[in-house]
Amino acid sequence: MRALDDFLPEYEFSERHRLAIDAPPARIDEALRAVSISDIPIARALWFVRRLGRPYGDSRKPFVGGELPGIVLADVPGEGLVLGLTGQFWKVRGSERDAGRPRTSDEFLAYARSDMCKAVIDFRVGSSLLSTETRVHVADPTARRKFRRYWLVIRPFSGLIRILFLRAARRRAEG
């Protein structure tokens, strides 16, 4: 699977998590793709708050590659996937109003609005391991300051959701 550096080599913000899972890679990959937000009740509550009370959607749909916003940049069964997102995440509807947001991996690579965040999230399956990394690049200094304030507030909750997601995948893979 392509490395995150292929999609976002420059970034100012990042977060990584990983978890050992006692299962073969194929089963870990299957679990990764099956976890829904209903498997992570606190994530559903945080999503509700983030969206100011607007419903999440179908909480039983798989989160990764399904209900999670963004586009799939790379998807290799048995190895994982990479998602790309753009927007002004510090705004309530910051990713919904960008009419020029990319819809394909080529458009994502070419996307260069300096006032917008460009983010990648990967979920990688290894031998008895599932990991995730998030990277965010904000080219414009003013937008970067706005995102930094947002990141200081949201990062602990974002990390918690990712940790709980990995645990939900472990429960599915080992169950």
Side-chain angles (χ1 to χ4, degrees):
M1 188 165 74
R2 290 177 69 178
L4 279 185
D5 284 340
D6 292 345
F7 298 107
L8 196 64
E10 295 180 33
Y11 56 96
E12 296 78 29
F13 307 92
S14 68
E15 181 175 9
R16 293 183 181 118
H17 301 279
R18 64 186 202 167
L19 186 65
I21 300 177
D22 188 21
R27 189 161 175 133
I28 296 170
D29 186 68
E30 181 181 311
L32 157 72
R33 296 165 190 277
V35 173
S36 70
I37 202 163
S38 65
D39 294 319
I40 315 166
I42 195 164
R44 186 172 37 200
L46 290 170
W47 197 268
F48 184 81
V49 170
R50 170 68 172 98
R51 294 177 50 92
L52 297 178
R54 288 181 295 135
Y56 173 77
D58 186 348
S59 64
R60 296 169 309 228
K61 279 187 178 178
F63 198 53
V64 173
E67 286 293 307
L68 189 65
I71 60 170
V72 176
L73 300 174
D75 186 351
V76 179
E79 292 182 29
L81 63 144
V82 179
L83 304 171
L85 299 97
T86 59
Q88 294 178 324
F89 305 139
W90 60 90
K91 293 182 177 180
V92 173
R93 295 185 184 182
S95 60
E96 296 173 9
R97 293 195 177 146
D98 181 12
R101 72 176 173 253
R103 308 252 185 245
T104 67
S105 59
D106 288 338
E107 289 177 6
F108 182 85
L109 290 169
Y111 190 82
R113 284 196 51 187
S114 64
D115 63 328
M116 296 284 187
C117 297
K118 191 173 182 180
V120 291
I121 303 169
D122 78 346
F123 295 90
R124 295 201 183 252
V125 175
S127 178
S128 299
L129 183 71
L130 179 59
S131 66
T132 181
E133 182 176 354
T134 302
R135 294 180 178 180
V136 182
H137 174 60
V138 191
D140 177 70
T142 301
R144 189 177 312 122
R145 282 191 298 275
K146 291 176 183 177
F147 180 79
R148 181 174 281 113
R149 288 190 297 267
Y150 167 79
W151 188 245
L152 286 172
V153 172
I154 204 71
R155 185 176 184 192
F157 301 105
S158 174
L160 176 62
I161 289 170
R162 283 171 179 69
I163 290 166
L164 295 174
F165 177 91
L166 295 176
R167 289 178 182 171
R170 179 173 59 190
R171 281 191 305 274
R172 283 180 174 269
E174 291 179 348

